[in-house]
Amino acid sequence: MEQTVAAGKIVGIYYTLKDASGRVLDTNRKGGKPMPYLHGRGNLLKGVEAALEGKAKNDFVEVKLAAADGYGVRRPELVQKVARGSFPAGRPLAAGMTLQRQDEQGRVRLARVLDVGDTEVTIDENHPLADLDLHFEITVCGVRDATPEEVQHGHAHGPGGHAH
């Protein structure tokens, strides 16, 4: 009996992500390997997981998400000027870099460097795809039961176990 996408299943997908104009933003279809994920654990955007629910191997799904349902709308307060001295001395900083920062609650956040001045660094903690309506084209290429270890860790593991 063929397995279908449901909570607790490891699902392999090929995907292409486009913006509203049809420009390809990301894909794993060209010579790439299927992307495995543990369904039902929030490893994909909610709208994408919902569209894949109940699908089986070789099913094709198109999902269109408004910016608010994708990576959100840009929040101006997430663009901040940070004192240059709050970064480790000697650390090279340049516009376009991505940094990991810890917020007040201890959560790790990604930030893009927008500008580096003598005394301040301007960073943007908005997701790079914020404000974009998204169009996913997805093909399910496999569904299997998750191992107990994958369920415990909350994500798919590759051949031979995990490497994290």
Side-chain angles (χ1 to χ4, degrees), residues 41 49 70 90 100 109 114 142 153 159:
R41 293 295 290 268
E49 273 204 2
Q100 285 189 357
R109 299 183 57 92
L114 300 179
H153 291 182

Side-chain angles (χ1 to χ4, degrees), residues 1 11-13 38 53-54 70 73 76 85 105 108 114 122-123 134 140 143 161:
M1 182 167 158
V11 182
I13 59 172
L38 176 57
E53 186 80 21
V73 293
Q105 290 78 36
V108 174
L114 300 179
T122 306
I123 62 169
L134 303 173
V140 176
V143 180

Side-chain angles (χ1 to χ4, degrees), residues 22-147:
R23 180 175 57 110
V24 174
L25 302 173
D26 192 18
T27 185
N28 70 340
R29 290 184 186 274
K30 295 185 180 178
K33 296 179 180 176
M35 182 186 86
Y37 77 96
L38 176 57
H39 193 79
R41 293 295 290 268
N43 293 311
L44 299 181
L45 294 169
K46 284 182 185 179
V48 173
E49 273 204 2
L52 289 169
E53 186 80 21
K55 301 301 183 212
K57 185 176 181 178
N58 297 323
D59 283 350
F60 177 78
V61 178
E62 288 189 75
V63 183
K64 292 184 180 184
L65 297 177
D69 297 322
Y71 291 100
V73 293
R74 290 189 58 75
R75 295 174 38 204
E77 69 272 16
L78 294 180
V79 176
Q80 309 165 33
K81 292 188 182 292
V82 179
R84 178 69 175 90
S86 66
F87 296 92
R91 177 175 186 162
L93 293 171
M97 289 178 67
T98 301
L99 306 172
Q100 285 189 357
R101 293 179 24 96
Q102 220 172 15
D103 66 15
E104 298 79 31
Q105 290 78 36
R107 295 176 299 212
V108 174
R109 299 183 57 92
L110 294 180
R112 279 175 300 142
V113 176
L114 300 179
D115 185 56
V116 179
D118 291 335
T119 59
E120 292 181 324
V121 177
T122 306
I123 62 169
D124 184 355
E125 291 183 334
N126 284 291
H127 191 283
L129 299 180
D131 265 355
L132 293 180
D133 294 336
L134 303 173
H135 179 185
F136 290 87
E137 297 171 350
I138 302 168
T139 302
V140 176
C141 50
V143 180
R144 67 169 173 81
D145 293 330
T147 66

